[in-house]
Amino acid sequence: MRTYFIAGNWKMHKTIPEAVALAAELVKELKNGSGKYMIAPSFTALDAVSKVTKGTNILLGAQNMSTDEAGAHTGEVSVLQLKDIGVQVVILGHSERRHIYGETDEMINKKVRLALSHGLEVILCVGELLSEREEGKAEAVCEEQTRKGLAGVSADDLKKVTIAYEPVWAIGTGKVATPEDAEAIHAFIRNIIADMYGKQAAGEIIIQYGGSMKADNCAGLLAKEDIDGGLIGELLSRPKPLFPLH
Ligand code: PGA
């Protein structure tokens, strides 16, 4: 049985005091929760938030990471620096990174392998643009991003990977995928994992949905067989109201 994994992506929101206050509230709200939880504040708030989440059932996530361990990469943040702060999970391949900042599957794969080699967990985001969906390419896009994102990742390291299916047209738009449409892609991605790593790995991997998931639409999504949680920016990632099922 897979555990529900609810993760908050706070994007470029919140000052340090605001992030600390929300993290402290979530620690209280979720302390008896039965799921797996993560919050990913901005880089600037990670250190302060790490002191709040340390020793709790909320994992500390980063929203991105450099392709390189160290070096002359002005403005980038390395895996070693994230580990220094106590980061446990890193979100990679978010559509805002792919489409605003031009990250390629090759770059994302390099980050995925680097993070895993340092023992971090990874949330690998995949998802199609509206135009790609309209052209009937949603599956092909998700397949390519999944296969390329995971290239060279061992079966053992796959245990530290979560996939987040985030249709780009649903992110921050209020347009949520129907549970049926989302489930179809989740099942499709799980089949790709089965093809790459075998049935057992496919049965174990957590596949989150992301894209305007919120309290009034999460029940239908989370009830689907292959939807194992959410990557949520909406509502500044207050996961508590998202647990009608638990
Ligand atoms: P949203 O964002 O919940 O605001 O749509 C999800 C995400 O970007 O991960």
Side-chain angles (χ1 to χ4, degrees), residues 117-136:
S117 75
H118 282 276
L120 292 187
E121 285 190 42
V122 166
I123 297 178
L124 171 64
C125 304
V126 302
E128 79 286 356
L129 297 163
L130 182 58
S131 56
E132 292 166 334
R133 173 157 283 263
E134 285 169 351
E135 287 163 28

Side-chain angles (χ1 to χ4, degrees), residues 5 35 144 166 168 222:
F5 182 9
E144 184 168 11
E166 299 203 304
V168 181
L222 293 173

Side-chain angles (χ1 to χ4, degrees), residues 63-246:
Q63 299 173 18
N64 187 25
M65 191 192 89
S66 170
T67 49
D68 287 73
E69 206 167 79
H73 295 280
T74 301
E76 290 288 298
V77 177
S78 101
V79 64
L80 300 176
Q81 294 163 333
L82 295 180
K83 282 182 71 181
D84 252 3
I85 294 174
V87 165
Q88 295 147 298
V89 188
V90 59
I91 300 170
L92 296 174
H94 191 280
S95 67
E96 287 150 19
R97 301 300 319 168
R98 292 178 188 268
H99 299 295
I100 304 176
Y101 297 102
E103 290 194 13
T104 63
D105 284 315
E106 289 65 34
M107 287 164 74
I108 293 159
N109 175 250
K110 203 173 166 198
K111 295 180 184 201
V112 167
R113 287 184 288 115
L114 183 61
L116 292 170
S117 75
H118 282 276
L120 292 187
E121 285 190 42
V122 166
I123 297 178
L124 171 64
C125 304
V126 302
E128 79 286 356
L129 297 163
L130 182 58
S131 56
E132 292 166 334
R133 173 157 283 263
E134 285 169 351
E135 287 163 28
K137 292 185 187 155
E139 290 188 346
V141 169
C142 292
E143 174 161 12
E144 184 168 11
Q145 292 178 351
T146 302
R147 287 189 186 274
K148 288 188 172 170
L150 293 175
V153 171
S154 69
D156 209 32
D157 273 347
L158 188 76
K159 297 189 176 116
K160 296 199 294 266
V161 176
T162 293
I163 310 267
Y165 168 56
E166 299 203 304
V168 181
W169 45 272
I171 296 178
T173 57
K175 280 188 219 154
V176 66
T178 64
E180 292 67 34
D181 284 349
E183 168 63 15
I185 300 282
H186 280 241
F188 175 77
I189 293 171
R190 204 176 294 287
N191 275 333
I192 294 165
I193 300 296
D195 182 51
M196 293 174 79
Y197 295 95
K199 271 207 156 136
Q200 189 178 335
E204 287 170 3
I205 195 163
I206 293 175
I207 308 180
Q208 297 172 319
Y209 169 81
S212 301
M213 186 191 243
K214 51 191 167 204
D216 63 8
N217 63 30
C218 68
L221 289 159
L222 293 173
K224 290 291 181 193
E225 161 115 30
D226 291 292
I227 303 182
D228 310 318
L231 178 57
I232 297 154
E234 185 75 26
L235 298 178
L236 290 169
S237 305
R238 295 179 56 88
K240 175 85 181 302
L242 294 170
F243 278 90
L245 301 180
H246 305 182

